[in-house]
Amino acid sequence: MKILLSKIMFEKKLSIRQVSVMTGLPRSTIQKTMSVKSNSTMKTMEKLAAGLKVGIESLYESDFK
């Protein structure tokens, strides 16, 4: 499964700091989620989706969608 957070941030022209403020998540968590080897929790993904105002399914790419 590939996390698409970097792509969404680029499209919306958002920095890690801005996403942190929007989601209430620490910058370190956002950076880890952006990592290729990320294994983020559902809670983190839910907070990102809510803060970015996107569906949670928009945050990842999977063959099983």
Side-chain angles (χ1 to χ4, degrees), residues 6-64:
S6 297
K7 180 182 174 197
I8 293 169
M9 288 173 59
F10 179 78
E11 290 171 356
K12 294 183 176 240
K13 298 180 178 145
L14 296 170
S15 68
I16 292 172
R17 184 176 183 281
Q18 289 171 312
V19 174
S20 176
V21 170
M22 292 168 72
T23 61
L25 293 168
R27 288 179 292 180
S28 60
T29 300
I30 295 164
Q31 289 172 315
K32 287 177 189 173
T33 303
M34 292 171 68
S35 165
V36 175
K37 296 180 181 180
S38 175
N39 190 14
S40 297
T41 65
M42 261 328 254
K43 185 115 178 134
T44 297
M45 298 302 280
E46 288 172 348
K47 285 184 177 183
L48 285 167
L52 294 169
K53 295 179 176 48
V54 297
I56 198 165
E57 69 280 355
S58 301
L59 292 174
Y60 64 92
E61 180 177 87
S62 173
D63 295 335
F64 302 105

